[in-house]
Amino acid sequence: MSAATTNLSHPVAVNGADSSKEMSRGDEEVDEWPSLQDLEKELPKVFDGQVYLGFLMHQLVQDLYAQLLNIAETLGRASDTVKKAKLQQWLSLAYKQVSKVYVLAKWSRNADDIQKAMNIAAFLRTQGEQIIWATKGLHSVQDESHRMRVRNPDLLTALDVLTTGNYTRLASIHQETFVKKKPLTNKEVAGIFAQVEDVMRMRLLCKDIVPVEMGRWRIEGGRTFFTVPRRFETSLIMTGAQKDDIWAFVHVEFLFGVPEGERKGSKEFPKRPPKAFSDDLAFQIRDIIMTPPSLPDAPFASAVVDAPLVRVYNFL
């Protein structure tokens, strides 16, 4: 008959009552604990160093029989005393070996329990190793988890961007680094130059000590030009408008030298130093005027006065 044929002897479910009972029975069977035999089947089988008792008895019988044949062949013409001694020795050895096998046979009655204990011990050892591996895995996850942390949501930034479309709390240093500033117009550049010139003029008139020889100075293009007749003309600028800002060297032109008619001498000793020599002068003058001036208590008590411009004059 086909698989679709209905078994008339089996009761038919009415309104799903029998089917619900079968489902409840299935759930109960699933919820039952596994039997002891099923658990024992899950244990690992350990047969290390074990030998079957039948194989051991077979080998013992074969060995005793081989020894007996050897004695029978070698004692053909020996005296009765020697034969009896050899047989007595063989019987003693055989008795000892058979006694050991007998003890093993008695002990083998508990072999199943001992085998079960060995399997349980192997199972516990494996579980202990797995626990150790799991502990090491958790430690490794703990060590690596700090790299996977997700930052807390920046709600303030989200509100700014969603409401205004801009981030108003961005540090100005980032804006200056990544956002290009608009170039200054000519009017703005002229205004900045005028402010710088006012700062330099105020410093020269109210604070800095200017040597008498450098008394002829003028301010043009954001620089201060100091002219010492028949010696040199140099220009300096201010590094800023603060009290701690210092003068910085720009250029120097010596007002003496070899006559222009002598071409060789005028090339070797030019009035305006070349760029490499001028850069070296700038570094040396910066080191000279970096130290703040030590003004004496009574400026007119001594003819020697220490000041940045005085050091520049003495150096040039």
Side-chain angles (χ1 to χ4, degrees):
M1 297 177 68
S2 62
T5 304
T6 304
N7 188 2
L8 298 177
S9 62
H10 191 277
V12 180
V14 180
N15 296 330
D18 292 345
S19 61
S20 62
K21 291 181 180 180
E22 291 179 358
M23 293 177 62
S24 62
R25 292 173 185 174
D27 295 338
E28 292 177 357
E29 292 178 358
V30 172
D31 294 338
E32 291 181 358
W33 290 94
S35 62
L36 185 60
Q37 290 76 13
D38 296 336
L39 293 177
E40 291 179 359
K41 292 179 181 179
E42 297 296 330
L43 294 176
K45 304 299 181 182
V46 179
F47 300 105
D48 297 339
Q50 299 186 31
V51 179
Y52 287 102
L53 182 60
F55 177 77
L56 180 62
M57 295 177 65
H58 178 74
Q59 292 293 328
L60 177 61
V61 172
Q62 292 292 334
D63 184 53
L64 293 177
Y65 181 72
Q67 292 180 9
L68 185 59
L69 289 178
N70 187 19
I71 292 173
E73 292 177 357
T74 56
L75 297 179
R77 298 180 180 180
S79 60
D80 294 340
T81 305
V82 174
K83 291 180 180 180
K84 291 179 181 179
K86 287 289 185 180
L87 287 175
Q88 182 65 29
Q89 184 179 1
W90 176 82
L91 288 173
S92 178
L93 178 62
Y95 178 77
K96 292 180 181 179
Q97 297 295 331
V98 172
S99 298
K100 293 179 181 179
V101 173
Y102 177 73
V103 173
L104 290 176
K106 288 290 186 181
W107 176 84
S108 64
R109 295 178 180 178
N110 301 324
D112 294 337
D113 296 336
I114 295 175
Q115 181 66 46
K116 187 185 301 182
M118 295 175 63
N119 295 341
I120 294 174
F123 174 77
L124 294 177
R125 182 169 57 253
T126 304
Q127 292 296 316
E129 293 176 356
Q130 291 179 358
I131 291 174
I132 294 174
W133 295 339
T135 304
K136 292 182 179 179
L138 291 176
H139 283 297
S140 63
V141 170
Q142 180 183 5
D143 296 338
E144 298 293 334
S145 60
H146 68 278
R147 303 179 182 177
M148 305 176 185
R149 292 180 180 176
V150 180
R151 294 183 58 188
N152 295 330
D154 192 354
L155 299 179
L156 296 178
T157 303
L159 290 174
D160 289 343
V161 174
L162 291 175
T163 55
T164 64
N166 295 320
Y167 180 42
T168 58
R169 295 178 179 82
L170 184 63
S172 59
I173 186 173
H174 301 301
Q175 297 179 4
E176 296 174 357
T177 304
F178 298 100
V179 179
K180 294 183 179 180
K181 293 183 178 180
K182 296 181 179 180
L184 299 176
T185 61
N186 295 334
K187 186 177 181 180
E188 292 175 345
V189 173
I192 293 174
F193 269 43
Q195 295 177 6
V196 173
E197 293 174 357
D198 292 340
V199 172
M200 291 189 294
R201 188 177 294 105
M202 185 64 65
R203 288 284 296 265
L204 291 173
L205 295 176
C206 301
K207 182 178 180 181
D208 290 344
I209 299 176
V210 183
V212 178
E213 292 81 357
M214 296 174 62
R216 297 176 57 183
W217 52 268
R218 70 183 189 278
I219 298 177
E220 294 179 359
R223 294 188 291 176
T224 302
F225 293 85
F226 298 93
T227 303
V228 180
R230 298 181 182 180
R231 295 190 181 182
F232 62 85
E233 181 185 53
T234 183
S235 61
L236 304 176
I237 60 174
M238 291 296 302
T239 58
Q242 303 298 326
K243 295 181 179 180
D244 299 334
D245 293 324
I246 60 175
W247 292 93
F249 173 81
V250 178
H251 98 287
V252 66
E253 181 178 356
F254 297 101
L255 303 180
F256 61 89
V258 180
E260 296 181 359
E262 300 180 6
R263 296 180 179 179
K264 183 177 180 181
S266 61
K267 291 182 179 180
E268 293 181 356
F269 302 99
K271 292 185 178 181
R272 184 183 290 270
K275 186 178 185 304
F277 185 69
S278 180
D279 294 340
D280 185 59
L281 285 177
F283 285 115
Q284 295 187 43
I285 292 177
R286 184 192 62 181
D287 295 337
I288 289 174
I289 64 180
M290 277 292 291
T291 305
S294 56
L295 298 177
D297 297 336
F300 302 102
S302 175
V304 179
V305 178
D306 183 21
L309 296 179
V310 174
R311 298 173 193 169
V312 174
Y313 170 76
N314 293 332
F315 177 76
L316 292 178

